PDB file of all heavy atoms in Angstrom:
ATOM      1  N   THR A 104     154.586  78.914  93.998  1.00 82.00           N
ATOM      2  CA  THR A 104     155.633  78.492  93.073  1.00 82.00           C
ATOM      3  C   THR A 104     155.441  77.013  92.777  1.00 82.00           C
ATOM      4  O   THR A 104     154.716  76.301  93.486  1.00 82.00           O
ATOM      5  CB  THR A 104     157.032  78.708  93.683  1.00 82.00           C
ATOM      6  OG1 THR A 104     157.195  77.819  94.797  1.00 82.00           O
ATOM      7  CG2 THR A 104     157.250  80.155  94.108  1.00 82.00           C
ATOM      8  N   GLN A 105     156.120  76.543  91.745  1.00 86.00           N
ATOM      9  CA  GLN A 105     156.037  75.123  91.405  1.00 86.00           C
ATOM     10  C   GLN A 105     156.495  74.254  92.576  1.00 86.00           C
ATOM     11  O   GLN A 105     155.844  73.278  92.918  1.00 86.00           O
ATOM     12  CB  GLN A 105     156.880  74.829  90.151  1.00 86.00           C
ATOM     13  CG  GLN A 105     156.362  75.486  88.897  1.00 86.00           C
ATOM     14  CD  GLN A 105     154.972  75.000  88.507  1.00 86.00           C
ATOM     15  OE1 GLN A 105     154.779  73.830  88.226  1.00 86.00           O
ATOM     16  NE2 GLN A 105     154.017  75.909  88.493  1.00 86.00           N
ATOM     17  N   ASP A 106     157.593  74.632  93.217  1.00 88.00           N
ATOM     18  CA  ASP A 106     158.092  73.853  94.350  1.00 88.00           C
ATOM     19  C   ASP A 106     157.114  73.861  95.518  1.00 88.00           C
ATOM     20  O   ASP A 106     156.933  72.842  96.193  1.00 88.00           O
ATOM     21  CB  ASP A 106     159.460  74.377  94.808  1.00 88.00           C
ATOM     22  CG  ASP A 106     160.578  74.019  93.837  1.00 88.00           C
ATOM     23  OD1 ASP A 106     160.428  73.045  93.060  1.00 88.00           O
ATOM     24  OD2 ASP A 106     161.598  74.731  93.834  1.00 88.00           O
ATOM     25  N   GLU A 107     156.471  75.011  95.768  1.00 85.00           N
ATOM     26  CA  GLU A 107     155.483  75.079  96.854  1.00 85.00           C
ATOM     27  C   GLU A 107     154.286  74.190  96.570  1.00 85.00           C
ATOM     28  O   GLU A 107     153.777  73.523  97.474  1.00 85.00           O
ATOM     29  CB  GLU A 107     155.028  76.526  97.058  1.00 85.00           C
ATOM     30  CG  GLU A 107     156.093  77.411  97.685  1.00 85.00           C
ATOM     31  CD  GLU A 107     155.752  78.897  97.641  1.00 85.00           C
ATOM     32  OE1 GLU A 107     154.960  79.328  96.770  1.00 85.00           O
ATOM     33  OE2 GLU A 107     156.294  79.625  98.490  1.00 85.00           O
ATOM     34  N   MET A 108     153.826  74.154  95.321  1.00 82.00           N
ATOM     35  CA  MET A 108     152.706  73.267  94.989  1.00 82.00           C
ATOM     36  C   MET A 108     153.109  71.803  95.120  1.00 82.00           C
ATOM     37  O   MET A 108     152.337  70.982  95.615  1.00 82.00           O
ATOM     38  CB  MET A 108     152.193  73.553  93.583  1.00 82.00           C
ATOM     39  CG  MET A 108     151.270  74.740  93.551  1.00 82.00           C
ATOM     40  SD  MET A 108     150.230  74.801  92.110  1.00 82.00           S
ATOM     41  CE  MET A 108     151.317  75.563  90.957  1.00 82.00           C
ATOM     42  N   ILE A 109     154.303  71.469  94.677  1.00 84.00           N
ATOM     43  CA  ILE A 109     154.788  70.087  94.784  1.00 84.00           C
ATOM     44  C   ILE A 109     154.842  69.671  96.248  1.00 84.00           C
ATOM     45  O   ILE A 109     154.399  68.577  96.610  1.00 84.00           O
ATOM     46  CB  ILE A 109     156.161  69.951  94.089  1.00 84.00           C
ATOM     47  CG1 ILE A 109     155.966  70.029  92.565  1.00 84.00           C
ATOM     48  CG2 ILE A 109     156.865  68.665  94.496  1.00 84.00           C
ATOM     49  CD1 ILE A 109     157.244  70.206  91.776  1.00 84.00           C
ATOM     50  N   ASP A 110     155.360  70.533  97.112  1.00 83.00           N
ATOM     51  CA  ASP A 110     155.436  70.220  98.540  1.00 83.00           C
ATOM     52  C   ASP A 110     154.053  70.162  99.184  1.00 83.00           C
ATOM     53  O   ASP A 110     153.748  69.233  99.926  1.00 83.00           O
ATOM     54  CB  ASP A 110     156.289  71.266  99.277  1.00 83.00           C
ATOM     55  CG  ASP A 110     157.767  71.158  98.955  1.00 83.00           C
ATOM     56  OD1 ASP A 110     158.198  70.116  98.408  1.00 83.00           O
ATOM     57  OD2 ASP A 110     158.500  72.130  99.222  1.00 83.00           O
ATOM     58  N   LEU A 111     153.219  71.167  98.909  1.00 79.00           N
ATOM     59  CA  LEU A 111     151.905  71.247  99.534  1.00 79.00           C
ATOM     60  C   LEU A 111     151.010  70.066  99.177  1.00 79.00           C
ATOM     61  O   LEU A 111     150.358  69.488 100.031  1.00 79.00           O
ATOM     62  CB  LEU A 111     151.210  72.560  99.127  1.00 79.00           C
ATOM     63  CG  LEU A 111     149.807  72.792  99.687  1.00 79.00           C
ATOM     64  CD1 LEU A 111     149.835  72.902 101.216  1.00 79.00           C
ATOM     65  CD2 LEU A 111     149.208  74.055  99.082  1.00 79.00           C
ATOM     66  N   TYR A 112     150.976  69.694  97.899  1.00 79.00           N
ATOM     67  CA  TYR A 112     150.074  68.640  97.436  1.00 79.00           C
ATOM     68  C   TYR A 112     150.766  67.301  97.232  1.00 79.00           C
ATOM     69  O   TYR A 112     150.156  66.357  96.738  1.00 79.00           O
ATOM     70  CB  TYR A 112     149.383  69.089  96.140  1.00 79.00           C
ATOM     71  CG  TYR A 112     148.548  70.331  96.341  1.00 79.00           C
ATOM     72  CD1 TYR A 112     148.848  71.503  95.667  1.00 79.00           C
ATOM     73  CD2 TYR A 112     147.461  70.341  97.207  1.00 79.00           C
ATOM     74  CE1 TYR A 112     148.092  72.651  95.853  1.00 79.00           C
ATOM     75  CE2 TYR A 112     146.706  71.474  97.404  1.00 79.00           C
ATOM     76  CZ  TYR A 112     147.022  72.627  96.722  1.00 79.00           C
ATOM     77  OH  TYR A 112     146.265  73.753  96.907  1.00 79.00           O
ATOM     78  N   ARG A 113     152.062  67.239  97.589  1.00 81.00           N
ATOM     79  CA  ARG A 113     152.852  66.003  97.472  1.00 81.00           C
ATOM     80  C   ARG A 113     152.798  65.454  96.049  1.00 81.00           C
ATOM     81  O   ARG A 113     152.417  64.305  95.810  1.00 81.00           O
ATOM     82  CB  ARG A 113     152.380  64.960  98.487  1.00 81.00           C
ATOM     83  CG  ARG A 113     152.578  65.423  99.908  1.00 81.00           C
ATOM     84  CD  ARG A 113     152.289  64.344 100.907  1.00 81.00           C
ATOM     85  NE  ARG A 113     152.601  64.834 102.224  1.00 81.00           N
ATOM     86  CZ  ARG A 113     151.748  64.850 103.230  1.00 81.00           C
ATOM     87  NH1 ARG A 113     150.540  64.389 103.068  1.00 81.00           N
ATOM     88  NH2 ARG A 113     152.117  65.308 104.400  1.00 81.00           N
ATOM     89  N   LEU A 114     153.171  66.305  95.116  1.00 85.00           N
ATOM     90  CA  LEU A 114     153.110  65.981  93.696  1.00 85.00           C
ATOM     91  C   LEU A 114     154.469  65.525  93.190  1.00 85.00           C
ATOM     92  O   LEU A 114     155.500  65.927  93.729  1.00 85.00           O
ATOM     93  CB  LEU A 114     152.685  67.222  92.902  1.00 85.00           C
ATOM     94  CG  LEU A 114     151.331  67.805  93.258  1.00 85.00           C
ATOM     95  CD1 LEU A 114     151.169  69.183  92.629  1.00 85.00           C
ATOM     96  CD2 LEU A 114     150.228  66.868  92.805  1.00 85.00           C
TER      97      LEU A 114
END
Side-chain angles (χ1 to χ4, degrees):
T104 67
Q105 294 297 298
D106 287 337
E107 289 169 336
M108 279 199 276
I109 288 168
D110 289 344
L111 179 64
Y112 299 118
R113 297 188 176 125
L114 300 168

